[in-house]
Amino acid sequence: MSAHDLIIVGAGIIGAACADAASAEGLGVAVVEPGPVGGGVTAAGMGHLVTMDAAPWELALTHYSLGLWESLRELPGSEYSRCGTLWVARDDAEGARIADKQARLADAGVHAEAVDAARLRELEPELAPGLAGGLLVPDEGVVYPPAVARELVTRAVRRGATWHRARATTVGDHHVVLDDGRRLHGTVLVAAGCALPSLLPELPLRLRKGHLVITQRYPGTVRHQLVHLGYADSVHGDEASVAFNVQPRPTGQLLIGSSREYGRVDPGVSMPMVRRMLRNTFEFLPGIRRLNALRIWTGLRPASVDGRPYIGRVAGRSGIWVAAGHEGLGVSTAPGTARLLVDQLLGRRPAIDMRPFDPVRVAA
Ligand SMILES: Cc1cc2nc3c(=O)[nH]c(=O)nc-3n(C[C@H](O)[C@H](O)[C@H](O)COP(=O)(O)OP(=O)(O)OC[C@H]3O[C@@H](n4cnc5c(N)ncnc54)[C@H](O)[C@@H]3O)c2cc1C
C-alpha cells in the first residue's frame, strides 16, 4: 500500500499538465498511465493554441490558459512556433463579424488585427482570390502535444512524482485499484480522457471523431494557422461537419483539418469525410491540390454533455476530482485546467469563475 497527495489517472496533455502543476507545488504525485504518455487523443490533435470566444467561459478559460503556455514554450521537444492565428472570412457577411470578434478578444486583453482582402493575400499568398478579409491574432502558436505531455511528466518525475505503468480498474473514495492488483491511496484526479465514464459513470461524454491529413514538406506554403471565421459554427452544431483549418508545422508540413462527427467511435478513416474536408480546404487554398499527402488519421475528442470541460471535485464522492471532457480545446486549455484544479485542491481562489466547469452541474 502506498499513500500519495494526488493520484492522477491518465497522462494525456491534461493529466500531464496536472502532474506538473501539482508536483511544482510540492505535492507527492502518482501518475497512473499504461502508456505511452500523451498517446491518447493528445497524439491525434493539431496542437493549435488558440483563444476561442464563442461563450464567456470559453474565452475566460482559453485566454487564461494561453497566458500560462508562455512558460511552457521552451520545453524540450515542444516544437513551439509562434505562427499566429489568421481567421479567414469567406464573404462580406462573414467579414461583418470580424469587428465583433476583435472587440470580444480586446475586452479579454487579446491583441488582434483586422486585415482587409489585400492584406490577407499579402500575409498568405496561397489563399484564394475573393476572400473578404480576416483577423490576425499574432501571439498565438502551435506545439507538438504528445512531446509536451511527455516532458511535463518527466519534469514531475524529476520532482519526485512516480509513474505507475498500469491501468486503473476502479477509482474509489481516496483510492485507486490498478490492473496489476496494487492499490494506491490518496486524493484521486481522473484525467482519463475518453475513458472517463468507465471510471466515473456519473460523468458522461460524447465522443466526437475528427480526421486530419498531413502533407509532405513544403516550407513557406502557409505561414499562419489558418482557420475559417465560421469555424465555431461547426464546433457548436450536432451535425457532422468540416471546417477549414490548416497549420504550418515547423517541419514544413501542412496539417489539414478537420472534421467533427458524433456517434462514430471506430478509428477508421472515412474517405467520403476526407474528400469533403479537402474540397472545403481547396476552396480557401486552391494551390494545395498539387501537394502530396503523407498520412491521414483520426482521433476521438472527449466532449462533455454541454461542451464545457469537467474540472473540479466530483459530487457525492469523497476525495475524487476530475479534469476531462475538453473536446477540441484540451491542448490550449491544459495548463489553465491544471492551475485551476490545483488551486482548488489547495483551497486557493482560482483565477477565473469555476462554476461553468463544476461537475456538479451534470448530476443536477
Ligand atoms: C482531430 C483533432 C484535432 C484537435 N486539435 C486540437 C487543437 O488544435 N488544439 C487543442 O487545444 N486541442 C485539439 N484537440 C483536442 C485535444 O487533442 C484533446 O482535447 C486533448 O488531447 C484531451 O487530452 P486528455 O488528456 O483529456 O485525453 P487523452 O490524451 O486521451 O489522455 C487520456 C489518457 O488517459 C489514459 N487512460 C485511459 N483510461 C485509463 C485508465 N483506466 N487508467 C489509466 N490511464 C487511463 C489514456 O491511456 C490516455 O493516455 C484536437 C483533437 C482532435 C481529435
Side-chain angles (χ1 to χ4, degrees), residues 66-342:
L66 258 56
L68 298 177
W69 263 109
E70 291 294 311
S71 65
L72 300 179
R73 291 195 327 245
E74 306 303 331
L75 283 181
S78 75
E79 295 187 16
Y80 176 81
S81 137
R82 191 186 287 274
C83 56
T85 304
L86 185 56
W87 295 90
V88 181
R90 196 196 294 259
D91 51 29
D92 289 342
E94 287 181 5
R97 294 161 65 177
I98 292 174
D100 280 352
K101 187 173 177 69
Q102 186 180 23
R104 278 193 302 277
L105 293 176
D107 278 350
V110 181
H111 171 64
E113 299 156 23
V115 298
D116 62 14
R119 177 81 180 125
L120 188 66
R121 291 293 299 285
E122 257 172 48
L123 289 170
E124 290 291 352
E126 290 285 340
L127 278 173
L131 296 167
L135 186 68
L136 175 64
V137 189
D139 293 335
E140 294 183 340
V142 302
V143 289
Y144 184 49
V148 173
R150 274 196 300 277
E151 189 56 29
L152 291 175
V153 170
T154 302
R155 204 154 87 160
V157 167
R158 255 188 251 121
R159 296 186 190 116
T162 49
W163 174 15
H164 302 264
R165 292 171 204 241
R167 183 168 295 280
T169 54
T170 318
V171 296
D173 293 354
H174 292 282
H175 74 270
V176 174
V177 181
L178 308 187
D179 60 357
D180 57 14
R182 281 179 296 158
R183 194 181 171 97
L184 307 181
H185 289 261
T187 299
V188 180
L189 169 62
V190 182
C194 292
L196 170 70
S198 67
L199 296 168
L200 295 173
E202 65 268 50
L203 294 176
L205 289 179
R206 301 177 73 198
L207 306 189
R208 208 168 189 193
K209 185 170 177 176
H211 286 75
L212 292 176
V213 176
I214 195 156
T215 69
Q216 292 179 340
R217 297 174 187 226
Y218 303 96
T221 308
V222 165
R223 303 160 185 173
H224 306 82
Q225 169 95 31
L226 300 175
V227 193
H228 180 205
L229 196 84
Y231 177 84
D233 304 339
S234 80
V235 172
H236 294 290
D238 262 9
E239 297 300 310
S241 63
V242 296
F244 170 61
N245 193 357
V246 170
Q247 176 180 111
R249 296 299 308 165
T251 54
Q253 294 169 285
L254 295 187
L255 186 49
I256 303 170
S258 59
S259 64
R260 278 185 154 81
E261 271 175 292
Y262 285 120
R264 299 291 302 270
V265 293
D266 62 296
V269 167
S270 153
M271 284 316 289
M273 183 53 88
V274 172
R275 273 194 289 274
R276 184 175 160 193
M277 204 170 88
L278 290 178
R279 265 198 308 272
N280 183 55
T281 305
F282 298 154
E283 283 181 23
F284 289 87
L285 284 173
I288 69 167
R289 279 173 188 278
R290 66 178 190 275
L291 310 188
N292 290 323
L294 197 59
R295 199 160 74 82
I296 306 174
W297 69 90
T298 66
L300 293 174
R301 302 176 184 89
S304 72
V305 286
D306 56 10
R308 289 179 255 142
Y310 305 127
I311 310 170
R313 189 192 292 273
V314 179
R317 306 261 196 166
S318 175
I320 304 187
W321 295 66
V322 63
H326 294 70
E327 213 263 6
L329 282 174
V331 179
S332 302
T333 57
T337 296
R339 179 75 269 148
L340 295 163
L341 197 287
V342 169

Side-chain angles (χ1 to χ4, degrees), residues 10 12-14 32-34 41-42 45-48 168 192 195 327-332:
I13 193 75
I14 299 294
V32 178
E33 165 64 63
V41 66
T42 294
M46 283 189 108
H48 180 203
E327 213 263 6
L329 282 174
V331 179
S332 302

